[in-house]
Amino acid sequence: MKQFICMKWGKLYGPDYVNTLYRMVSRNVTGPIRFVCLTDDAQGILPEVETFPCPEIDLPAPHNNRGWRKLNLYAPSERLFGLEGDWLYLDLDVVVTGSLDPFFEYRPEEDFIVMQNWTQPGSGIGNTSCYRFRVGSHSYLLDDLVEQQDEILSRFRNSQTYISRSIRRIEFWPDDWCVLFKTHCVPPWPQRFWKEPTLPQTAHVVAFPGVPNPHQAVRGEWPAPWHKKVYKFIRPARWIAEYWR
């Protein structure tokens, strides 16, 4: 049984993003799966998706509703709805473009494997859009965050830097498995004005941190202030429609 988990809270993403992610996962896995979404609003989510309340985190606003909230996944089983074993976490805004089977076969002895943060390559920082974790293996990350929140929030700009610098052992997926849309797919300036974004052939997961989101990129939209439109421009990435459905 391959196990997948995602989180949805607030209004940024609707149930369609959860349902699309579930369908992409289902098409790209062999054998039975378990798919869980932790959410504050389960309305509209497919019945095939198990839903549990999205845990809150004892941090001051606005940190409590940013990526730091994802640290709840590091809680032990008894504080995480009885979930056990290895899980592949996927952000709602990723596009699955290849088989996910290798993500369970690769380095099975490891209890935390994450994609490279391609905005800081070689720095040892992971991008937590796609990672595999073993429930309860690193519960100290959540406990330390809550207990030492003033120090940690002042030292680390975001949750994935905190995780990468504080976890006892970090491993990364092979570099060509997980890519960033804006880094690996969007042509360099000024070629992006006449060339469409392309999909690297070996990519299994394409991450879309920030904007554009997949529903925008497929139409060639990159939300940005007018003075940044000079370089924040893309043509429609029509290949997204083949996978993101």
Side-chain angles (χ1 to χ4, degrees):
M1 177 78 72
K2 299 180 178 75
Q3 303 186 115
F4 298 85
I5 194 166
C6 65
M7 298 178 75
K8 182 182 83 70
W9 71 84
K11 303 298 182 183
L12 184 59
Y13 300 108
D16 55 316
Y17 263 78
V18 179
N19 297 340
T20 298
L21 180 60
Y22 168 76
R23 294 187 183 108
M24 288 190 294
V25 167
S26 298
R27 289 194 300 269
N28 286 282
V29 176
T30 58
I33 70 170
R34 184 182 184 188
F35 193 102
V36 166
C37 179
L38 307 185
T39 181
D40 60 359
D41 183 4
Q43 186 173 359
I45 294 177
L46 290 169
E48 295 90 340
V49 176
E50 291 183 59
T51 58
F52 296 97
C54 187
E56 297 186 1
I57 191 165
D58 187 17
L59 296 178
H63 305 289
N64 60 331
N65 279 315
R66 291 183 174 169
W68 296 97
R69 193 166 177 176
K70 291 161 63 174
L71 265 292
N72 282 301
L73 292 177
Y74 297 87
S77 177
E78 61 269 20
R79 288 158 47 194
L80 195 62
F81 311 105
L83 303 182
E84 296 181 334
D86 290 350
W87 293 76
L88 187 68
Y89 171 86
L90 295 169
D91 267 347
L92 291 179
D93 58 356
V94 304
V95 175
V96 180
T97 58
S99 174
L100 296 176
D101 290 343
F103 290 80
F104 293 90
E105 300 160 356
Y106 184 76
R107 305 292 297 270
E109 73 282 1
E110 298 292 343
D111 55 26
F112 183 81
I113 308 180
V114 66
M115 71 178 285
Q116 192 79 236
N117 184 4
W118 291 110
T119 61
Q120 300 168 282
S123 63
I125 296 176
N127 180 317
T128 54
S129 294
C130 175
Y131 65 96
R132 193 184 76 211
F133 69 101
R134 188 164 299 148
V135 171
S137 293
H138 300 285
S139 57
Y140 60 90
L141 291 173
L142 174 59
D143 295 338
D144 289 352
L145 172 61
V146 173
E147 294 170 5
Q148 306 167 35
Q149 55 186 260
D150 291 341
E151 177 189 353
I152 289 173
L153 293 175
S154 65
R155 285 181 58 200
F156 299 102
R157 186 168 59 91
N158 55 51
S159 60
Q160 58 191 22
T161 303
Y162 163 64
I163 292 167
S164 301
R165 294 292 183 243
S166 305
I167 199 164
R168 291 172 185 151
R169 179 175 173 83
I170 186 170
E171 291 290 333
F172 295 94
W173 302 120
D175 286 349
D176 57 350
W177 285 13
C178 303
V179 301
L180 293 185
F181 177 73
K182 285 179 287 191
T183 300
H184 299 93
C185 303
V186 175
W189 193 91
Q191 296 179 29
R192 63 187 59 174
F193 285 97
W194 64 84
K195 288 185 177 181
E196 293 186 9
T198 57
L199 174 65
Q201 289 186 348
T202 56
H204 296 249
V205 173
V206 182
F208 287 75
V211 290
N213 285 305
H215 75 274
Q216 297 163 327
V218 72
R219 299 195 297 256
E221 300 172 1
W222 189 340
W226 66 268
H227 60 281
K228 294 185 178 181
K229 288 291 187 181
V230 174
Y231 61 93
K232 292 194 172 185
F233 174 90
I234 52 170
R235 300 187 66 82
R238 293 177 291 182
W239 51 267
I240 292 176
E242 178 183 347
Y243 302 97
W244 194 73
R245 55 184 174 82

